[in-house]
């Protein structure tokens, strides 16, 4: 009983630098408009990207829970194999009608890192289907 009381009285451990970074990146996913049409990534990729989403035209889209595990993958519209960074760039440019961050920018790294955090522990399935 004494050990339990000691543990209950201790403050919660502070978030690690990685956890803090992922939280910041989640905020970017939820709030950044990229000078576009007012939409954010979460407008289509609902529930912080963790649940099925919907495009503005009403088409259902899968969650982003395994996004980082299925890239690189062939993109029929582009007619070539693309990376996750290229997909993020395309989403911002087309769906958000915004200005995508440069591939080597902190914002792009933040977005790709957030998406990668959603895929933590999932098997790599390059070219696989979104789930």
């Amino acid at each position: 009983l004494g050990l339990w009381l000691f543990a209950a009285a201790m403050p919660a451990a502070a978030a690690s630098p990685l956890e803090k970074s992922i939280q910041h990146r989640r905020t970017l996913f939820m709030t950044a408009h990229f000078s576009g049409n007012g939409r954010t990534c979460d407008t289509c990729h609902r529930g912080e990207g963790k649940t099925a989403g919907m495009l503005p035209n009403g088409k259902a889209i899968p969650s982003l829970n395994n996004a980082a595990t299925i890239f690189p993958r062939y993109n029929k519209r582009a007619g070539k194999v693309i990376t996750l960074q290229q997909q993020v760039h395309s989403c911002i440019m087309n769906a958000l009608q915004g200005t995508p961050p440069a591939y080597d920018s902190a914002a792009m790294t933040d977005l790709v890192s957030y998406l990668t955090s959603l895929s933590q522990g999932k098997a790599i399935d390059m070219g696989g289907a979104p789930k």
Side-chain angles (χ1 to χ4, degrees), residues 33-101:
H33 298 161
F34 300 98
S35 301
N37 56 17
R39 296 180 188 132
T40 67
C41 299
D42 194 62
T43 301
C44 297
H45 300 287
R46 297 178 180 169
E48 303 173 1
K50 299 174 187 174
T51 61
M54 187 173 296
L55 297 176
N57 66 7
K59 180 182 177 189
I61 56 174
S63 76
L64 298 173
N65 285 325
N66 71 331
T69 68
I70 62 174
F71 283 89
R73 62 183 285 123
Y74 180 75
N75 181 292
K76 203 182 304 186
R77 185 185 317 160
K80 63 181 181 179
V81 173
I82 64 168
T83 65
L84 182 56
Q85 290 90 337
Q86 289 170 312
Q87 181 63 48
V88 169
H89 184 276
S90 177
C91 281
I92 292 169
M93 191 169 66
N94 296 309
L96 303 184
Q97 298 172 341
T99 304

